[in-house]
Amino acid sequence: MSRSPIIDVFSPLPPLPTDIGNHTAGVLEALRQMARVRVWTSQEGPVHLDMPDVEIRRFRPEAITAADLNQADATFYNLGNNARFHRDIHTVARRVPGIVILHDTRLQHFFAAYSERPGEDRAYYLDQLERSHGPAMRAWGEEFIEGRRDLQDLVGAATMTLAAVEGAVGAILHNEEDGAALASKTHVPIYLQPLSFRYGPAPARPPAPALALPASVRSRLIMFGYIGENRRLLPILEALASMPDRDLYRLDIYGLVEQEREVDAAIAAAGLNSVVTRHGFVPEADLNRALAGADLAFNLRWPSMGEASGSQLRLWSAQCPALVTKVGWYAQLPPDTVFMIDQANEHQAIIHHLRALRRTPSHYAEVGARGRRVLEQRHSPAAYAQGLVEIASDHVAQHARRMGHALALRAARSMLDIGTKQLALPMSAELGRRISELTGR
């Protein structure tokens, strides 16, 4: 009888306000049926994870050692674009190689957080910027630190995805297009896994009217999550404010708003105080009830961070139709499960859909219902957990490939030290081939 694998998972956990924590909780619920699981977190305060058979370990990144983790068959590091939740995890991943789960593939914001501290952290940011994107981008990074260049310039030009997987034994992506692009740039094995979401029974929704809504009925709009600049809240408010019949809508905003003062000022200046309500971060059950009662959600992204959207899966779970930007992972969704808009035509597209929502509310409800069916077919936590177990079973080969690559690099450098470039290059190529044969890569 074969033993159950031991799997270590590093992740933020509920009740932290991050959808990656919620995603991990759903996966753990299924994974614990297939493996012995230890979940590592550096967060302070309580952890809302009612799973007695999942061992919760608190860690400090400077204190953890390889010996703490070498009992496991595989170690998975969840990494997102918010340094607040993932910096400690990345610190450990740099020291103890494992499999990095990239929830975002455009990670400039994450790495730019290192530039805030002079000294070792700032040097690390600039070094990784240069290693991933060359000396010109390092110069841009220095200009950004000096206040002479906007971070958005770097976001568009330097994703820093390679820095996130440097030294890893494998990487998991949820975005097929970005996975193929990354695989062409790194020796690290790339695994594709559809993002999962823990869902319950579909909420009961009253039938949507087939005819246009009367003026006595308000259309319920919703937006939620960690709402940074790329979530397009300010343009949404501008579009809503420009509509003469804006009082026919109600927009509820749940979660943390990055541009809080600017957003509140825009709401007041546009006279939207009776239309828009900010609720802040609320318990998951309250959010789910709000989604089940909403007629349309805004789930826009520009620029995209290469994310697969846990918020979109939550919307599908609630059968809530959503407006998304036609970019990245969102552009790959089944077109009859969301309403896609082009960023270049964003303002007019938002207004178009708000008006169409009132004319044909049943059409929007049908799209939300189709999204629920796709969620159940493709995005179950059990399928995701099974994928992790299968990836973990390849751990010996993963480490062999990584060690083989490191050995080939050291050997090539040694040859350059003792011989000419003309002699070293063919010898290095042959040595690399032999090492590849030994390691299966």
Side-chain angles (χ1 to χ4, degrees):
M1 182 177 177
S2 61
R3 69 170 180 86
S4 296
I6 301 172
I7 293 179
D8 282 328
V9 178
F10 282 74
S11 182
L13 297 168
L16 289 185
T18 162
D19 229 21
I20 293 176
N22 295 327
H23 173 259
T24 297
V27 172
L28 292 174
E29 197 168 80
L31 187 61
R32 64 185 177 139
Q33 309 297 325
M34 309 172 189
R36 177 186 163 195
V37 184
R38 305 186 304 180
V39 58
W40 299 74
T41 182
S42 63
Q43 69 196 65
E44 298 179 356
V47 169
H48 296 172
L49 199 68
D50 188 19
M51 302 177 196
D53 50 348
V54 172
E55 182 181 354
I56 299 173
R57 294 198 171 189
R58 309 275 185 164
F59 76 91
R60 289 181 294 110
E62 70 277 6
I64 203 165
T65 68
D68 296 317
L69 303 178
N70 64 12
Q71 303 170 37
D73 292 288
T75 301
F76 294 94
Y77 297 105
N78 284 278
L79 189 64
N81 205 22
N82 191 322
R84 172 188 171 192
F85 302 125
H86 300 281
R87 183 176 181 138
D88 287 347
I89 294 172
H90 179 61
T91 299
V92 179
R94 288 166 58 191
R95 293 173 48 216
V96 186
I99 301 155
V100 177
I101 303 176
L102 289 179
H103 293 267
D104 302 297
T105 56
R106 289 158 181 78
L107 291 159
Q108 179 62 227
H109 284 97
F110 173 81
F111 283 101
Y114 283 86
S115 71
E116 296 170 3
R117 300 180 187 176
E120 191 174 306
D121 279 0
R122 185 169 291 174
Y124 172 68
Y125 169 64
L126 292 172
D127 288 347
Q128 289 301 320
L129 192 56
E130 182 172 2
R131 285 171 65 89
S132 298
H133 300 284
M137 282 301 108
R138 183 189 183 98
W140 280 30
E142 291 170 345
E143 291 173 8
F144 158 65
I145 291 169
E146 295 166 2
R148 296 187 291 115
R149 183 176 291 275
D150 192 90
L151 179 60
Q152 287 305 117
D153 295 341
L154 285 156
V155 170
T159 65
M160 298 197 74
T161 318
L162 288 174
V165 301
E166 184 180 53
V169 299
I172 295 174
L173 275 73
H174 307 127
N175 184 325
E176 184 174 353
E177 182 178 312
D178 284 353
L182 183 60
S184 68
K185 299 175 183 176
T186 178
H187 68 280
V188 175
I190 304 299
Y191 303 92
L192 293 174
Q193 282 275 101
L195 189 68
S196 70
F197 184 80
R198 176 176 51 178
Y199 54 84
R205 278 178 168 266
L211 302 176
L213 293 175
S216 59
V217 177
R218 301 292 184 262
S219 295
R220 305 292 306 203
L221 312 173
I222 196 166
M223 190 172 181
F224 68 98
Y226 185 83
I227 303 173
E229 185 176 357
N230 79 318
R231 295 291 303 274
R232 313 302 293 163
L233 176 53
L234 288 174
I236 290 167
L237 295 175
E238 290 171 9
L240 195 55
S242 71
M243 300 179 66
D245 56 353
R246 61 192 183 184
D247 288 334
L248 297 179
Y249 303 88
R250 292 292 180 269
L251 172 59
D252 291 297
I253 303 171
Y254 292 86
L256 303 178
V257 177
E258 187 179 67
Q259 302 167 282
E260 189 172 19
R261 291 183 180 177
E262 193 174 353
V263 166
D264 287 344
I267 291 171
L272 291 173
N273 288 312
S274 63
V275 176
V276 181
T277 303
R278 287 207 304 112
H279 300 269
F281 187 73
V282 300
E284 187 175 14
D286 293 348
L287 175 60
N288 288 339
R289 279 192 293 271
L291 293 173
D295 302 305
L296 180 66
F298 293 106
N299 198 19
L300 305 178
R301 297 290 194 285
W302 186 263
S304 168
M305 299 302 156
E307 65 279 84
S309 176
S311 59
Q312 185 55 51
L313 301 187
R314 184 180 291 276
L315 288 165
W316 280 347
S317 177
Q319 301 184 86
C320 182
L323 208 58
V324 305
T325 311
K326 191 175 182 180
V327 62
W329 179 84
Y330 303 91
Q332 302 167 38
L333 298 178
D336 60 348
T337 63
V338 291
F339 294 95
M340 296 187 192
I341 66 172
D342 292 320
Q343 197 277 333
N345 193 39
E346 183 182 65
H347 182 85
Q348 293 82 358
I350 291 172
I351 294 173
H352 164 78
H353 281 286
L354 290 178
R355 288 175 174 160
L357 174 65
R358 295 197 61 81
R359 291 195 304 268
T360 56
S362 60
H363 173 56
Y364 285 78
E366 289 164 4
V367 168
R370 282 195 290 270
R372 170 73 191 206
R373 291 194 288 272
V374 170
L375 172 71
E376 295 173 354
Q377 293 163 4
R378 304 183 189 177
H379 299 280
S380 75
Y384 194 97
Q386 183 60 47
L388 296 187
V389 171
E390 292 172 1
I391 292 169
S393 69
D394 194 33
H395 73 287
V396 174
Q398 291 161 354
H399 282 278
R401 286 190 290 263
R402 177 181 175 275
M403 293 174 67
H405 179 75
L407 178 60
L409 284 177
R410 287 199 297 271
R413 291 190 185 108
S414 297
M415 289 180 184
L416 287 171
D417 289 339
I418 62 176
T420 65
K421 185 176 181 181
Q422 289 76 13
L423 178 64
L425 285 176
M427 291 179 65
S428 298
E430 176 61 17
L431 180 61
R433 186 182 67 80
R434 295 294 181 91
I435 292 174
S436 178
E437 290 174 355
L438 292 172
T439 60
R441 178 63 184 245

